[in-house]
Amino acid sequence: MSDQSSSLKIRIGRFYETSDGSAVRVIKVNWRKNLVIAVNYDSHSNESFRLDEAEQTFSPLFKIGEVAKMFGKKNPTIRKYESLGLLPKAKKISLNGSGKNWTRVYSPSDIEVLAEFFDSRRPAGRPASTNVAGINREAIKDKLDALYMRGKR
């Protein structure tokens, strides 16, 4: 593994986890002022971050629909496996602060756990690098890197 760090491509509308574990959604990026404005879903307030620091310390979070699509599954399938205790519970964030509008979000390490789970459920004769839906784990990692990470510095 390389000791070079890679930084995130900060995108408007995306969910991220900050270095203190808070879930945020980017609502504005000011490239000139090197500033990111994000809604913090733990405190339900807007916060500002330096863009260069956010790129180094934010970790992407993926909504359940994005994760389900990665594995060729539907949202209810993943929720069912969670409720049965076969998968760890996803982090839930309240979108409006009232506790009535929740969404599940997954970190890259959560996605690795899901990949291991779906790999273990593959039919006999299928290569170990391919999950039940026929998706190659390396392809998932490459897709994550291409969508959310910049090239190595």
Side-chain angles (χ1 to χ4, degrees):
M1 188 168 218
S2 173
D3 61 339
Q4 296 175 337
S5 67
S6 60
S7 61
L8 216 55
K9 290 180 185 177
I10 300 296
R11 296 180 181 210
I12 295 172
R14 298 294 313 170
F15 288 92
Y16 299 95
E17 187 171 46
T18 63
S19 57
D20 69 359
S22 299
V24 298
R25 184 175 52 86
V26 173
I27 56 175
K28 185 175 183 179
V29 177
N30 187 324
W31 299 100
R32 286 188 198 159
K33 294 183 179 179
N34 191 36
L35 194 65
V36 173
I37 308 294
V39 175
N40 182 319
Y41 285 103
D42 293 337
S43 64
H44 293 284
S45 61
N46 290 356
E47 293 185 14
S48 59
F49 303 89
R50 286 187 41 201
L51 176 61
D52 54 346
E53 289 178 3
E55 288 176 334
Q56 294 297 321
T57 61
F58 281 15
S59 177
L61 294 173
F62 302 90
K63 291 171 66 175
I64 189 170
E66 296 170 300
V67 173
K69 195 177 288 185
M70 284 181 199
F71 293 103
K73 304 292 180 195
K74 294 185 179 184
N75 300 6
T77 303
I78 293 178
R79 286 193 294 266
K80 180 177 182 177
Y81 288 142
E82 284 180 6
S83 70
L84 294 173
L86 299 173
L87 291 172
K89 299 276 185 195
K91 179 176 184 171
K92 289 184 180 178
I93 56 174
S94 174
L95 298 178
N96 60 6
S98 70
K100 293 182 180 179
N101 189 6
W102 295 87
T103 189
R104 286 175 165 84
V105 290
Y106 298 83
S107 69
S109 61
D110 295 333
I111 293 170
E112 284 294 317
V113 170
L114 268 70
E116 289 291 327
F117 173 76
F118 289 120
D119 278 354
S120 70
R121 298 180 52 80
R122 67 182 168 79
R126 187 178 300 273
S129 63
T130 305
N131 69 12
V132 172
I135 298 172
N136 185 302
R137 291 185 69 207
E138 289 301 317
I140 291 171
K141 287 181 185 178
D142 291 345
K143 186 174 184 178
L144 287 172
D145 287 345
L147 290 174
Y148 302 102
M149 305 301 271
R150 288 190 181 158
K152 306 269 184 198
R153 287 188 186 183

